[in-house]
Coordinates of all heavy atoms in Angstrom, one line a residue:
M296 N 24.6 5.5 -9.2 CA 23.5 5.5 -8.3 C 22.2 5.7 -9.1 O 22.1 6.5 -10.0 CB 23.6 6.6 -7.3 CG 22.6 6.5 -6.2 SD 23.1 7.5 -4.7 CE 21.6 8.5 -4.5
R297 N 21.2 4.9 -8.8 CA 19.9 5.0 -9.5 C 19.1 6.2 -9.0 O 19.1 6.6 -7.9 CB 19.0 3.7 -9.2 CG 19.4 2.6 -10.1 CD 18.3 1.5 -9.9 NE 17.1 1.8 -10.6 CZ 16.1 1.0 -10.6 NH1 16.1 -0.1 -10.1 NH2 15.0 1.4 -11.3
E298 N 18.4 6.8 -10.0 CA 17.5 7.9 -9.6 C 16.2 7.4 -9.1 O 15.7 6.4 -9.6 CB 17.3 8.8 -10.9 CG 18.5 9.6 -11.2 CD 18.3 10.6 -12.3 OE1 17.1 11.1 -12.4 OE2 19.2 10.9 -13.1
C299 N 15.6 8.2 -8.3 CA 14.3 7.8 -7.7 C 13.2 8.0 -8.9 O 13.3 9.0 -9.6 CB 13.9 8.7 -6.6 SG 12.3 8.3 -5.8
T300 N 12.3 7.1 -9.0 CA 11.3 7.1 -10.0 C 10.0 7.6 -9.4 O 8.9 7.1 -9.7 CB 11.1 5.8 -10.7 OG1 10.9 4.8 -9.6 CG2 12.4 5.4 -11.4
V301 N 10.0 8.6 -8.6 CA 8.8 9.1 -7.9 C 7.7 9.5 -8.8 O 6.5 9.1 -8.5 CB 9.2 10.2 -6.9 CG1 9.7 11.5 -7.6 CG2 8.0 10.6 -6.0
A302 N 8.0 10.1 -9.9 CA 6.9 10.5 -10.8 C 6.2 9.3 -11.4 O 4.9 9.2 -11.5 CB 7.4 11.4 -12.0
K303 N 7.0 8.3 -11.9 CA 6.4 7.1 -12.4 C 5.7 6.3 -11.3 O 4.6 5.8 -11.6 CB 7.6 6.2 -12.9 CG 7.2 5.0 -13.6 CD 8.4 4.2 -14.1 CE 8.1 2.8 -14.4 NZ 9.3 2.0 -14.5
N304 N 6.2 6.3 -10.1 CA 5.6 5.6 -9.0 C 4.2 6.2 -8.7 O 3.3 5.5 -8.4 CB 6.5 5.7 -7.7 CG 7.8 4.9 -7.9 OD1 7.9 4.1 -8.8 ND2 8.7 5.2 -7.0
K305 N 4.2 7.5 -8.7 CA 2.9 8.2 -8.4 C 1.8 7.8 -9.4 O 0.7 7.6 -9.1 CB 3.1 9.7 -8.5 CG 3.6 10.3 -7.2 CD 3.6 11.8 -7.3 CE 4.2 12.4 -6.0 NZ 4.3 13.9 -6.1
K306 N 2.2 7.7 -10.7 CA 1.2 7.3 -11.7 C 0.7 5.9 -11.5 O -0.5 5.6 -11.8 CB 1.9 7.3 -13.1 CG 1.9 8.7 -13.8 CD 2.4 8.5 -15.2 CE 3.0 9.9 -15.6 NZ 3.9 9.7 -16.7
N307 N 1.5 5.0 -11.0 CA 1.2 3.6 -10.7 C 0.7 3.3 -9.3 O 0.3 2.2 -9.0 CB 2.3 2.7 -11.0 CG 2.8 2.7 -12.5 OD1 1.9 2.9 -13.4 ND2 4.1 2.6 -12.7
C308 N 0.6 4.3 -8.5 CA 0.3 4.1 -7.1 C -1.1 3.7 -6.9 O -2.1 4.3 -7.4 CB 0.5 5.4 -6.3 SG 0.2 5.3 -4.5
G309 N -1.3 2.6 -6.1 CA -2.7 2.1 -5.9 C -3.4 2.6 -4.7 O -4.4 2.2 -4.3
C310 N -2.8 3.6 -4.0 CA -3.3 4.2 -2.8 C -4.3 5.3 -3.2 O -3.9 6.2 -4.0 CB -2.2 4.7 -1.9 SG -2.8 5.5 -0.4
S311 N -5.4 5.4 -2.5 CA -6.4 6.4 -2.8 C -6.3 7.6 -1.9 O -7.1 8.6 -2.0 CB -7.8 5.8 -2.8 OG -8.1 5.3 -1.5
Y312 N -5.4 7.6 -0.9 CA -5.2 8.7 0.0 C -4.3 9.8 -0.7 O -3.1 9.7 -0.6 CB -4.6 8.3 1.3 CG -4.6 9.4 2.4 CD1 -5.8 9.9 2.8 CD2 -3.4 9.8 2.9 CE1 -5.8 10.9 3.7 CE2 -3.4 10.9 3.8 CZ -4.6 11.4 4.3 OH -4.6 12.4 5.2
M313 N -4.9 10.7 -1.5 CA -4.1 11.6 -2.3 C -3.3 12.6 -1.6 O -2.4 13.1 -2.1 CB -5.1 12.3 -3.3 CG -5.9 11.3 -4.1 SD -4.9 10.1 -5.0 CE -5.0 10.7 -6.6
A314 N -3.7 12.9 -0.3 CA -3.0 14.0 0.4 C -1.7 13.5 1.1 O -1.0 14.3 1.7 CB -3.9 14.6 1.5
C315 N -1.3 12.2 1.0 CA -0.2 11.7 1.7 C 1.1 12.2 1.1 O 1.3 12.2 -0.2 CB -0.2 10.2 1.6 SG 1.2 9.5 2.5
G316 N 2.0 12.7 1.9 CA 3.3 13.2 1.5 C 4.3 12.1 1.0 O 5.3 12.4 0.4
N317 N 3.9 10.8 1.3 CA 4.8 9.7 0.9 C 4.4 9.1 -0.5 O 5.0 8.2 -1.0 CB 4.7 8.6 1.9 CG 5.5 8.9 3.1 OD1 6.4 9.7 3.1 ND2 5.1 8.3 4.2
R318 N 3.4 9.7 -1.1 CA 2.9 9.2 -2.4 C 4.0 9.1 -3.4 O 4.7 10.1 -3.7 CB 1.8 10.1 -2.9 CG 0.4 9.4 -3.0 CD -0.5 10.4 -3.7 NE -1.0 9.8 -4.9 CZ -1.7 8.7 -5.0 NH1 -2.0 8.0 -4.0 NH2 -2.0 8.3 -6.2
G319 N 4.3 8.0 -4.0 CA 5.3 7.8 -5.0 C 6.7 7.6 -4.4 O 7.6 7.2 -5.1
I320 N 6.9 7.8 -3.1 CA 8.2 7.6 -2.5 C 8.0 6.2 -1.7 O 7.8 6.1 -0.5 CB 8.5 8.7 -1.5 CG1 8.4 10.0 -2.2 CG2 10.0 8.5 -1.0 CD1 8.5 11.2 -1.3
C321 N 8.1 5.1 -2.5 CA 7.7 3.8 -2.0 C 8.6 3.4 -0.8 O 8.0 2.7 0.1 CB 7.8 2.8 -3.2 SG 6.8 3.3 -4.6
C322 N 9.8 3.8 -0.8 CA 10.7 3.3 0.3 C 10.2 4.0 1.6 O 10.1 3.3 2.7 CB 12.2 3.7 0.1 SG 12.4 5.4 -0.4
E323 N 9.8 5.2 1.6 CA 9.2 5.9 2.8 C 7.9 5.4 3.1 O 7.5 5.2 4.3 CB 9.1 7.4 2.5 CG 10.4 8.1 2.2 CD 11.3 8.2 3.4 OE1 10.8 8.1 4.6 OE2 12.5 8.5 3.2
C324 N 7.1 5.1 2.1 CA 5.7 4.6 2.3 C 5.8 3.2 3.0 O 5.1 3.0 4.0 CB 5.1 4.4 0.9 SG 3.5 3.6 0.9
L325 N 6.6 2.3 2.5 CA 6.8 1.0 3.1 C 7.2 1.1 4.6 O 6.6 0.5 5.5 CB 7.7 0.2 2.3 CG 8.0 -1.3 2.8 CD1 6.7 -2.1 2.9 CD2 9.0 -2.0 2.0
Q326 N 8.3 1.9 4.8 CA 8.8 2.1 6.2 C 7.7 2.6 7.1 O 7.6 2.2 8.3 CB 10.0 3.0 6.2 CG 11.3 2.3 5.7 CD 11.6 1.0 6.5 OE1 11.6 1.0 7.7 NE2 11.8 -0.1 5.8
S327 N 7.0 3.6 6.7 CA 6.0 4.3 7.6 C 4.9 3.3 8.0 O 4.4 3.3 9.1 CB 5.4 5.5 7.0 OG 4.6 5.2 5.9
H328 N 4.5 2.4 7.1 CA 3.5 1.4 7.4 C 4.0 0.3 8.2 O 3.4 -0.2 9.1 CB 2.8 1.0 6.1 CG 1.8 2.0 5.6 ND1 0.6 2.3 6.3 CD2 1.9 2.8 4.6 CE1 0.0 3.2 5.6 NE2 0.7 3.6 4.6
L329 N 5.2 -0.2 7.8 CA 5.8 -1.4 8.6 C 6.0 -1.0 10.1 O 5.7 -1.8 10.9 CB 7.1 -1.8 8.0 CG 7.1 -2.6 6.7 CD1 8.5 -2.9 6.2 CD2 6.3 -3.9 6.8
K330 N 6.4 0.2 10.3 CA 6.6 0.7 11.7 C 5.3 0.6 12.5 O 5.3 0.5 13.8 CB 7.0 2.1 11.8 CG 8.5 2.3 11.6 CD 8.9 3.8 11.9 CE 9.9 4.2 10.9 NZ 10.0 5.6 10.7
K331 N 4.1 0.6 11.8 CA 2.8 0.6 12.5 C 2.2 -0.8 12.4 O 1.0 -0.9 12.7 CB 1.9 1.7 11.9 CG 2.4 3.1 12.2 CD 1.5 4.1 11.6 CE 1.8 4.4 10.2 NZ 1.1 5.6 9.6
G332 N 2.9 -1.8 11.9 CA 2.3 -3.1 11.7 C 1.4 -3.1 10.6 O 0.4 -3.9 10.6
Q333 N 1.7 -2.3 9.5 CA 0.8 -2.2 8.4 C 1.6 -2.5 7.1 O 2.8 -2.6 7.1 CB 0.2 -0.8 8.3 CG -0.6 -0.4 9.5 CD -1.0 1.1 9.5 OE1 -0.5 1.9 8.7 NE2 -2.0 1.4 10.3
L334 N 0.8 -2.5 6.0 CA 1.4 -2.6 4.7 C 0.9 -1.4 3.8 O -0.2 -0.9 4.2 CB 1.1 -3.9 4.0 CG 1.7 -5.2 4.6 CD1 1.1 -6.4 4.0 CD2 3.2 -5.2 4.4
P335 N 1.6 -1.0 2.8 CA 1.1 0.1 2.0 C -0.2 -0.2 1.3 O -0.5 -1.4 1.1 CB 2.3 0.2 0.9 CG 3.5 -0.3 1.6 CD 3.0 -1.5 2.4
G336 N -0.9 0.8 0.9 CA -2.2 0.6 0.3 C -2.2 -0.2 -1.0 O -3.1 -0.9 -1.3
C337 N -1.0 -0.2 -1.7 CA -1.0 -1.0 -3.0 C -0.9 -2.5 -2.7 O -1.0 -3.3 -3.7 CB 0.3 -0.6 -3.8 SG 1.8 -0.8 -2.9
C338 N -0.8 -2.9 -1.5 CA -0.8 -4.3 -1.1 C -2.3 -4.9 -0.9 O -2.4 -6.1 -0.6 CB 0.0 -4.6 0.2 SG 1.7 -4.2 0.0
F339 N -3.3 -4.0 -1.1 CA -4.6 -4.4 -0.9 C -5.5 -4.3 -2.2 O -5.2 -3.4 -3.0 CB -5.3 -3.6 0.2 CG -4.6 -3.7 1.6 CD1 -3.5 -3.0 1.9 CD2 -5.0 -4.7 2.5 CE1 -2.8 -3.1 3.1 CE2 -4.4 -4.8 3.7 CZ -3.3 -4.0 4.0
P340 N -6.5 -5.1 -2.3 CA -7.4 -4.9 -3.5 C -8.2 -3.6 -3.3 O -8.4 -3.2 -2.1 CB -8.3 -6.1 -3.5 CG -8.2 -6.6 -2.1 CD -6.9 -6.3 -1.5
P341 N -8.7 -3.0 -4.3 CA -9.3 -1.6 -4.2 C -10.4 -1.5 -3.2 O -10.5 -0.5 -2.5 CB -9.8 -1.4 -5.6 CG -9.0 -2.2 -6.5 CD -8.6 -3.4 -5.7
D342 N -11.3 -2.6 -3.0 CA -12.4 -2.5 -2.1 C -11.9 -2.4 -0.6 O -12.5 -1.8 0.2 CB -13.4 -3.6 -2.3 CG -12.7 -5.0 -2.1 OD1 -11.6 -5.2 -2.6 OD2 -13.4 -5.9 -1.6
V343 N -10.8 -3.1 -0.4 CA -10.2 -3.1 1.0 C -9.3 -1.8 1.2 O -9.3 -1.2 2.2 CB -9.4 -4.4 1.3 CG1 -8.8 -4.3 2.7 CG2 -10.3 -5.6 1.0
E344 N -8.6 -1.5 0.1 CA -7.7 -0.3 0.2 C -8.5 1.0 0.6 O -8.0 1.7 1.4 CB -7.0 -0.1 -1.2 CG -5.9 1.0 -1.2 CD -6.5 2.4 -1.2 OE1 -7.6 2.6 -1.9 OE2 -5.9 3.3 -0.6
K345 N -9.7 1.1 0.0 CA -10.4 2.3 0.3 C -10.9 2.5 1.7 O -11.4 3.5 2.1 CB -11.5 2.5 -0.7 CG -12.7 1.6 -0.6 CD -13.6 1.8 -1.8 CE -14.8 0.8 -1.7 NZ -15.6 0.8 -2.9
T346 N -10.9 1.4 2.5 CA -11.2 1.4 3.9 C -10.1 2.1 4.8 O -10.4 2.4 5.9 CB -11.6 0.0 4.5 OG1 -10.3 -0.7 4.6 CG2 -12.6 -0.7 3.7
Y347 N -8.9 2.2 4.2 CA -7.7 2.7 4.9 C -7.3 1.8 6.0 O -6.5 2.2 6.9 CB -7.9 4.1 5.3 CG -8.1 5.1 4.2 CD1 -8.9 6.2 4.3 CD2 -7.4 4.9 3.0 CE1 -9.1 7.1 3.3 CE2 -7.6 5.8 1.9 CZ -8.4 6.9 2.1 OH -8.6 7.8 1.0
D348 N -7.8 0.6 6.1 CA -7.3 -0.4 7.1 C -6.1 -1.1 6.5 O -6.3 -1.9 5.6 CB -8.4 -1.4 7.5 CG -7.9 -2.4 8.5 OD1 -6.7 -2.4 8.8 OD2 -8.7 -3.2 9.0
R349 N -4.9 -0.7 6.8 CA -3.7 -1.2 6.2 C -3.0 -2.3 7.1 O -1.9 -2.6 6.9 CB -2.7 -0.1 6.0 CG -3.2 1.2 5.3 CD -3.1 1.1 3.8 NE -3.2 2.3 3.2 CZ -4.3 2.6 2.4 NH1 -5.2 1.7 2.2 NH2 -4.3 3.8 1.8
S350 N -3.7 -2.8 8.1 CA -3.1 -3.7 9.0 C -2.7 -5.0 8.3 O -3.3 -5.5 7.4 CB -4.1 -4.0 10.2 OG -5.2 -4.7 9.8
I351 N -1.6 -5.6 8.9 CA -1.2 -6.9 8.3 C -2.3 -7.9 8.6 O -2.5 -8.8 7.8 CB 0.2 -7.3 9.0 CG1 1.2 -6.3 8.4 CG2 0.6 -8.7 8.6 CD1 2.6 -6.4 9.1
E352 N -3.0 -7.8 9.7 CA -4.1 -8.8 10.0 C -5.1 -8.7 8.9 O -5.6 -9.7 8.4 CB -4.8 -8.4 11.3 CG -3.9 -8.7 12.6 CD -3.0 -7.6 12.9 OE1 -2.8 -6.6 12.1 OE2 -2.4 -7.6 14.0
T353 N -5.5 -7.5 8.4 CA -6.4 -7.4 7.4 C -5.9 -7.9 6.1 O -6.6 -8.5 5.3 CB -6.9 -5.9 7.2 OG1 -7.6 -5.6 8.4 CG2 -7.8 -5.7 6.0
F354 N -4.6 -7.7 5.8 CA -4.0 -8.3 4.6 C -4.1 -9.8 4.6 O -4.5 -10.4 3.7 CB -2.5 -7.9 4.5 CG -1.8 -8.5 3.4 CD1 -1.8 -8.0 2.1 CD2 -1.1 -9.7 3.5 CE1 -1.2 -8.6 1.0 CE2 -0.5 -10.4 2.5 CZ -0.5 -9.8 1.2
V355 N -3.8 -10.4 5.8 CA -3.8 -11.9 5.9 C -5.3 -12.4 5.7 O -5.6 -13.3 5.0 CB -3.2 -12.4 7.2 CG1 -3.5 -13.9 7.5 CG2 -1.7 -12.1 7.3
K356 N -6.2 -11.7 6.4 CA -7.6 -12.1 6.3 C -8.1 -12.0 4.9 O -8.8 -12.8 4.4 CB -8.4 -11.1 7.2 CG -9.9 -11.4 7.3 CD -10.6 -10.6 8.4 CE -12.1 -10.5 8.2 NZ -12.6 -9.3 7.7
T357 N -7.7 -10.9 4.2 CA -8.2 -10.7 2.8 C -7.6 -11.8 1.9 O -8.3 -12.3 1.1 CB -7.7 -9.3 2.3 OG1 -8.2 -8.3 3.2 CG2 -8.2 -9.0 0.9
F358 N -6.3 -12.1 2.2 CA -5.7 -13.2 1.4 C -6.4 -14.5 1.6 O -6.7 -15.3 0.6 CB -4.2 -13.3 1.7 CG -3.5 -14.3 0.8 CD1 -2.9 -13.9 -0.4 CD2 -3.4 -15.6 1.2 CE1 -2.2 -14.8 -1.2 CE2 -2.7 -16.5 0.4 CZ -2.1 -16.1 -0.8
Q359 N -6.8 -14.8 2.8 CA -7.4 -16.0 3.1 C -8.8 -16.1 2.5 O -9.2 -17.1 2.0 CB -7.6 -16.2 4.7 CG -6.3 -16.5 5.3 CD -6.3 -16.5 6.8 OE1 -7.2 -15.8 7.4 NE2 -5.4 -17.2 7.5
E360 N -9.5 -14.9 2.4 CA -10.8 -14.9 1.8 C -10.8 -14.9 0.3 O -11.6 -15.5 -0.4 CB -11.6 -13.6 2.3 CG -12.0 -13.7 3.7 CD -12.6 -12.4 4.3 OE1 -12.8 -11.5 3.5 OE2 -12.8 -12.4 5.5
K361 N -9.9 -14.1 -0.3 CA -9.9 -13.9 -1.7 C -8.8 -14.7 -2.5 O -8.9 -14.8 -3.7 CB -9.6 -12.4 -2.1 CG -10.7 -11.4 -1.7 CD -10.3 -10.0 -2.1 CE -11.3 -9.0 -1.6 NZ -12.3 -8.6 -2.6
G362 N -7.8 -15.2 -1.7 CA -6.7 -15.8 -2.4 C -5.9 -14.7 -3.1 O -6.1 -13.5 -2.9
P363 N -4.9 -15.0 -3.9 CA -4.1 -13.9 -4.6 C -5.0 -13.1 -5.5 O -5.7 -13.7 -6.4 CB -3.1 -14.7 -5.4 CG -3.2 -16.1 -5.0 CD -4.5 -16.3 -4.3
W364 N -5.1 -11.8 -5.4 CA -5.9 -10.9 -6.2 C -5.1 -10.1 -7.2 O -5.7 -9.4 -8.0 CB -6.8 -10.0 -5.4 CG -5.9 -9.1 -4.5 CD1 -5.3 -7.9 -4.8 CD2 -5.5 -9.4 -3.1 NE1 -4.6 -7.5 -3.8 CE2 -4.7 -8.3 -2.7 CE3 -5.8 -10.4 -2.3 CZ2 -4.2 -8.3 -1.4 CZ3 -5.3 -10.4 -1.0 CH2 -4.4 -9.3 -0.6
W365 N -3.8 -10.2 -7.1 CA -3.0 -9.3 -8.0 C -2.5 -10.1 -9.2 O -2.7 -11.3 -9.3 CB -1.7 -8.8 -7.2 CG -1.0 -9.9 -6.6 CD1 0.1 -10.6 -7.1 CD2 -1.2 -10.4 -5.2 NE1 0.5 -11.5 -6.2 CE2 -0.2 -11.4 -5.0 CE3 -2.0 -10.1 -4.2 CZ2 -0.1 -12.1 -3.8 CZ3 -1.9 -10.8 -3.0 CH2 -1.0 -11.8 -2.8
Ligands
SF4_115 S1 0.0 3.7 1.3 FE1 0.2 5.0 3.1 S2 2.2 6.0 3.0 FE2 1.8 5.1 1.0 S3 0.9 6.8 -0.2 FE3 -0.8 5.7 0.7 S4 -1.2 6.7 2.7 FE4 0.8 7.4 1.9

């Protein structure tokens, strides 16, 4: 069984909400956002991520405006 890489994930996390208990636990992070029709903060460019609008609608709108940014 693979070990969780939570410490490494935290270092690479693109989310600016530092108080979140899911930080670095990407499987929990993804599930919590998908349940709300959202995507994790790391799916957005920094200027959009910092608005904390994680909606899939905003992801699509951002992609249409910026094209791939990653
Ligand atoms: S993207 Fe959401 S669940 Fe993931 S660390 Fe940031 S605030 Fe927490």
Side-chain angles (χ1 to χ4, degrees):
M296 191 162 128
R297 275 190 76 176
E298 283 186 34
C299 183
T300 55
V301 64
K303 184 178 160 197
N304 295 343
K305 277 185 183 177
K306 277 189 203 156
N307 297 326
C308 181
C310 178
S311 62
Y312 188 64
M313 303 307 253
C315 179
N317 285 335
R318 245 184 115 66
I320 311 169
C321 302
C322 50
E323 300 287 342
C324 174
L325 180 61
Q326 283 304 311
S327 73
H328 282 290
L329 284 177
K330 275 188 220 160
K331 296 182 271 190
Q333 301 173 342
L334 291 169
C337 59
C338 296
F339 297 87
D342 59 321
V343 180
E344 186 282 326
K345 69 184 178 190
T346 69
Y347 296 143
D348 178 354
R349 310 271 195 248
S350 67
I351 291 171
E352 289 86 349
T353 295
F354 176 85
V355 171
K356 183 173 162 252
T357 304
F358 186 88
Q359 287 170 336
E360 288 173 7
K361 293 181 184 260
W364 59 84
W365 53 88

